[in-house]
Structure formats: structure tokens, C-alpha cells
Amino acid sequence: MGIVIGIDVGGSTTKIVGINEGQIQSPMFITATDPVTSLFGAFGKYIYDNGIQLSDVEQVMLTGVGSAFVDSPLYGLPTRKTDEFIANGLGARHATEIDQLIVVSMGTGTSFVKIDRDKIQHIGGLGIGGGTLQGLSRLLLKTHDIHQVSELAEKGDVTRINLQIGDICNVALPDLPVSATASLFGKADSNASQEDIACGIICTVLQTIGGAAVLSALNSPIKDFVLIGNLTQLPQCREVFSKMDDIYHVHFHIPPYAEYRTAIGAALAYVKERQG
């Protein structure tokens, strides 16, 4: 059996990974000005860097919004597409032994995919994600460089931006500690530093996603959420979601290769089908 290559084609960024004998092989990503350039650049670099011959590749599986621009086999190889939500589910499920969970895919926006054992179901989404972070950063910080925003945020203090329960009440409320957020950006003023603003923007995006994820699981036994996508790589991500674990009595998981889980899931869609 050959290598199965999964490719998640975004608008300008493509993520690619190989599955070889059940093992994840050398994930990488490429950024370009358009999805087709990004796709072919990622594929060429991947096979070159890993010393892969075209004859070694059994199947190429595409997913993501940019895959709509591809209508022919990649370099003459067997090429198919799979649903992005299915890929999200398979990629996240592969990282855990948990049977019931919700996949929180944090891309430009955010989607929620419910996994109930072998059933994968897209249950909704949120128009807040990496695109929101970039847009607010352009307006408030005059940059859309996520790495720069994250570095600024590491020096900031979110308690100077967000209104906390402790700011309006001197005792904890039922199920809410005094450190819980009462209002995002509710304490910001015109003299706020760039560092504090950056911290507030990241916190706003991540807390909103986390709160929506928890609400998506209401009236179900699900207490586990697997976070995937680029925003998982922010240093603030683990800190924000760890606090939400405690407040909501749930578990947010960030698996290895979290940013590549959709590409991994695309490859696994073929592997699962091949195994029957």
C-alpha cells in the first residue's frame, strides 16, 4: 500500500500531510497568493522534502474551501475530495479515544462538528475566528500579523480591558469565580496600551468560541471538546481554555498536530474507506 496524502486547501494557505502505514508523516503548510498556487506549491515541496516519488502515492485527498478550484487529478495521481466537516471529525477523532465529543475547528470562522461514536455531524458555526482576530487587529493595532499581535498580548494584562465579576461584585456568583469575565472590553478606555488591547482581542475571540462551544453541547452528555485549526498555536490558547475548563466543568483538548487535523482527516477518509 502506498502513501495517502491529505491536503487542506484554504484561500491562501494549504496544509498537507501523509499517512503511511497508519502513521502521520511530516505535516507542513505553504502560503501563496491564491489556492491553486498554494496547493501545487505545497504538494511539490512536500514530495521533494520527503523524498517521495509519485509512484509512492496511492491516493490524494483534498478538502477545504480552496479545493473547489481543483477539477483535475493532481499530477495525474488518483485525486478525490472529501467534505471538510467529515475531515474535521475524522482528524480530531483520530487524536483521542473519546467516543462523544465536539470538534471546534478554529479557522477564519469557527465550525462545530459533533462526534457520537461513528457518527459525524456538522451542528453549526460561528462567524468569529482567525479572520475576526486579524480584522480587529487591523482596526485597533494597525497590523494583521497574528504573530506580532500574540507577542504584544504576552506583555499585556487583560484585566485592564475586560470587566470581571470581581469588578462589579465582591463575592463569587454561583458557578462563576470573581475572575470570570463579565464583559469583554467592558473596562477598556482610550488610553489602553497596545499590549493590553492585543490581549483583549485574543481573549475576546477565544472566549467567545469557547462559550459558543459549550452552548453547542447543551442537552447532551458531551463534556469534551477538541480544538483544531491555526488558533490552537497561539500561546494564549491553552491559558484561556484551561480557565474555561474550570468555569464550565468541561475539558478542552488540544491534540498534537492540531493545526493539521483537517488535512489528516482528509487522508483518513480514504484509509477508512479502504479498510472497509
Side-chain angles (χ1 to χ4, degrees), residues 106-110 126-139 143-144 146 201 205 209 230-231:
M106 301 187 293
T108 304
T110 301
L126 192 66
I128 292 179
T132 312
L133 200 160
Q134 285 188 314
L136 290 175
S137 297
R138 285 191 194 98
L139 291 172
T143 180
H144 65 276
I146 299 299
I201 292 171
V205 170
I209 291 171
N230 288 340
L231 292 185

Side-chain angles (χ1 to χ4, degrees), residues 84-85 88 102-107 109-113 122 124-126:
E84 184 173 355
F85 301 127
N88 288 343
I102 286 176
V103 184
V104 183
S105 179
M106 301 187 293
T110 301
S111 68
F112 302 117
V113 172
H122 174 233
L126 192 66

Side-chain angles (χ1 to χ4, degrees), residues 105-121:
S105 179
M106 301 187 293
T108 304
T110 301
S111 68
F112 302 117
V113 172
K114 179 181 178 181
I115 295 180
D116 188 354
R117 296 173 177 84
D118 291 330
K119 183 180 180 182
I120 298 175
Q121 178 187 9

